[in-house]
Amino acid sequence: MTHDGRRLLAQVVNKNRTSLADHRCHIARVSEGRAGRADSRLIDAIDSAGLRGRGGAGFPTAIKMRAVVENRKTPVVVVNGTEGEPVSVKDAVLMRLQPHLVLDGAAIAATAVGANEIHVCIERNNVAAIKSIELALLERAQCEPSSVVVHVHGTPPRYVAGEETALIHWLNGGDAKPTATPPRPFERGVGGRPTLVDNVETLAHVAQIVHNGPSWFRETGTQDEPGTALLTVGGAVAHGAVYEAPIGTPLAHILARAGTPSGVRAVLVGGYFGSWIAGDQLKTAALSNASLRPRGGGLGCGAVMVLPERCCGVVESTRVMRWMAMETAGQCGPCVNGLESIAATMSHIAMGSAQPEALQWLDRWALQVDGRGACKFPDGAMRFLRSALLAFGPDFLAHASGRVCADVEMPKVLPIPNVAPGWR
């Protein structure tokens, strides 16, 4: 472990991509297994390390692997590098700078579950990451030929396209929209085969666990959430970048490293599926699910966005909700009608033209939409909404009463991408 706590990014020098030769100076190649035959020793090591997924919900990685193996068919591994979250670039940075660490993790996962096929999925607009992975595969084909077939795919730039059932549906020739479950991907996924879907950062950790051992992995982080996490830190900071820190690190420490100004209205943790943390709670919050879930959020994609005191939380939250309403896959009423109504009402509140009952409507709709969607997209939107109402409560009351703050005309902080047409 380096002096600054880095592990995944420890070998990156001058922000240059790590070659296979340089990578092998630090991480040895793991022998391939046989298709259809799982290697329980690898899964046991990942289990002992306590690795949890770094893409969203933080589900234990070993449990996912064992669920795939129990189906007793030759499985498939899907590397999820879609990263549709607008405020997250940590997966893109990892693929661009450490492609062999990601591919090692994918190869180990394939050996662990007995897969003979790997699909690497990257948002098609992320050209740098795609080129880096493709170049890494060429290096490996020349120096380390493998019997496991690896495919690289450019996925549609839509927010829900990275949800695992949406990704499987797209790989099987359909639209990149979530599908009804069951079956889950571990039961029937790509080509009808049991499929392991893991985020690129998760797989990079897999490679280091197998090389360095579970005890090494547990040397940092917390007992229940060991290891480090990659964090995209942005917004009103002097040094916006991707940082790596032990899970459980106080949020205030990361904000200090990034050069956060003294006046902070709130911090959004976990991206647009995450939650706002008001400025008066920043000193007690830590970067772990154990710390963030009692506050209504979670580590999620690891994004940390700082909103300065001069900016309006009502306006910023409204912009995000309008974008969410446009990103719906259009497969259920709670998402199509609910998010549209919520976004429209928030817009009226932000502009000071809302009806007197507007805030009551938002509270009621949040309860009606939550847990009733065809996928988890509306649930994430409601989590974001509730955190905004809590963090910016007095501001929402003022706006709803027609007292619009001067901050409405201030420059906006949160990036809102254009919504891409189509789902293929």
Side-chain angles (χ1 to χ4, degrees):
M1 188 163 131
T2 59
H3 70 281
D4 60 357
R6 290 184 301 164
R7 286 180 166 184
L8 297 181
L9 300 178
Q11 310 310 325
V12 174
V13 179
N14 297 325
K15 297 185 178 180
N16 291 327
R17 175 186 168 279
T18 303
S19 68
L20 180 58
D22 288 340
H23 175 69
R24 285 288 173 249
C25 292
H26 305 280
I27 302 290
R29 186 186 184 189
V30 173
S31 300
E32 289 184 0
R34 292 175 57 184
R37 180 175 295 180
D39 189 334
S40 60
R41 295 170 302 176
L42 294 175
I43 301 178
D44 289 344
I46 294 164
D47 191 8
S48 296
L51 176 64
R52 293 176 175 269
R54 298 294 196 260
F59 193 77
T61 303
I63 292 179
K64 292 180 68 173
M65 289 181 167
R66 290 194 174 112
V68 169
V69 172
E70 287 173 0
N71 279 275
R72 300 185 181 281
K73 296 179 181 178
T74 302
V76 176
V77 170
V78 172
V79 180
N80 192 346
T82 54
E83 199 169 33
E85 173 60 59
V87 293
S88 177
V89 296
K90 54 101 174 176
D91 288 343
V93 168
L94 188 58
M95 289 185 287
R96 182 169 57 85
L97 300 181
Q98 291 280 47
H100 290 291
L101 196 61
V102 173
L103 292 173
D104 271 0
I108 291 169
T111 298
V113 301
N116 62 354
E117 189 175 331
I118 296 172
H119 295 268
V120 183
C121 298
I122 308 170
E123 187 177 290
R124 63 174 63 117
N125 291 339
N126 192 352
V127 177
I130 292 175
K131 288 183 176 179
S132 178
I133 293 292
E134 289 178 337
L135 180 57
L137 288 171
L138 287 175
E139 289 182 280
R140 296 164 86 91
Q142 294 171 356
C143 304
E144 299 178 357
S146 170
S147 60
V148 179
V149 180
V150 182
H151 307 275
V152 180
H153 307 272
T155 62
R158 302 298 298 260
Y159 190 81
V160 299
E163 193 272 341
E164 62 176 12
T165 66
L167 203 52
I168 298 299
H169 194 228
W170 184 82
L171 287 168
N172 284 336
D175 288 344
K177 297 181 179 182
T179 58
T181 55
R184 300 297 306 180
F186 71 84
E187 298 169 310
R188 188 165 70 245
V190 177
R193 296 157 62 184
T195 301
L196 175 70
V197 183
D198 268 324
N199 163 266
V200 295
E201 183 186 343
T202 307
L203 292 170
H205 284 297
V206 164
Q208 292 193 328
I209 288 168
V210 171
H211 180 76
N212 297 302
S215 297
W216 170 87
F217 186 73
R218 284 187 171 276
E219 288 175 0
T220 190
T222 69
Q223 178 64 30
D224 293 332
E225 299 176 64
T228 64
L230 295 180
L231 309 166
T232 307
V233 184
V237 295
H239 311 293
V242 173
Y243 293 83
E244 184 173 6
I247 293 181
T249 298
L251 178 57
H253 289 189
I254 294 297
L255 298 180
R257 285 178 62 186
T260 303
S262 56
V264 174
R265 185 176 293 267
V267 174
L268 179 63
V269 179
Y272 295 169
F273 252 38
S275 298
W276 288 106
I277 298 178
D280 58 359
Q281 297 185 35
L282 298 181
K283 291 182 179 180
T284 59
L287 290 164
S288 70
N289 288 317
S291 173
L292 296 172
R293 280 175 180 158
R295 293 173 167 85
L299 193 56
C301 66
V304 177
M305 295 294 294
V306 178
L307 187 69
E309 189 64 45
R310 70 178 186 278
C311 289
C312 178
V314 176
V315 171
E316 293 288 351
S317 299
T318 298
R319 294 173 62 239
V320 172
M321 192 57 65
R322 284 201 300 256
W323 176 78
M324 285 184 170
M326 292 187 292
E327 272 291 348
T328 172
Q331 298 187 127
C332 67
C335 199
V336 176
N337 301 319
L339 296 192
E340 175 59 35
S341 296
I342 289 170
T345 300
M346 289 181 69
S347 294
H348 286 300
I349 292 173
M351 298 308 297
S353 59
Q355 296 187 40
E357 305 89 351
L359 288 177
Q360 297 176 16
W361 293 344
L362 291 183
D363 287 333
R364 184 172 72 250
W365 290 339
L367 292 174
Q368 292 173 341
V369 170
D370 201 13
R372 291 179 169 84
C375 69
K376 298 297 184 182
F377 180 69
D379 296 353
M382 294 307 96
R383 180 167 54 247
F384 176 86
L385 170 62
R386 285 192 294 268
S387 75
L389 292 172
L390 184 61
F392 309 117
D395 298 322
F396 269 99
L397 284 171
H399 279 255
S401 301
R403 301 192 303 275
V404 178
C405 61
D407 295 340
V408 169
E409 303 300 327
M410 293 294 295
K412 307 305 182 285
V413 174
L414 299 179
I416 304 296
N418 294 326
V419 176
W423 294 91
R424 283 298 306 166

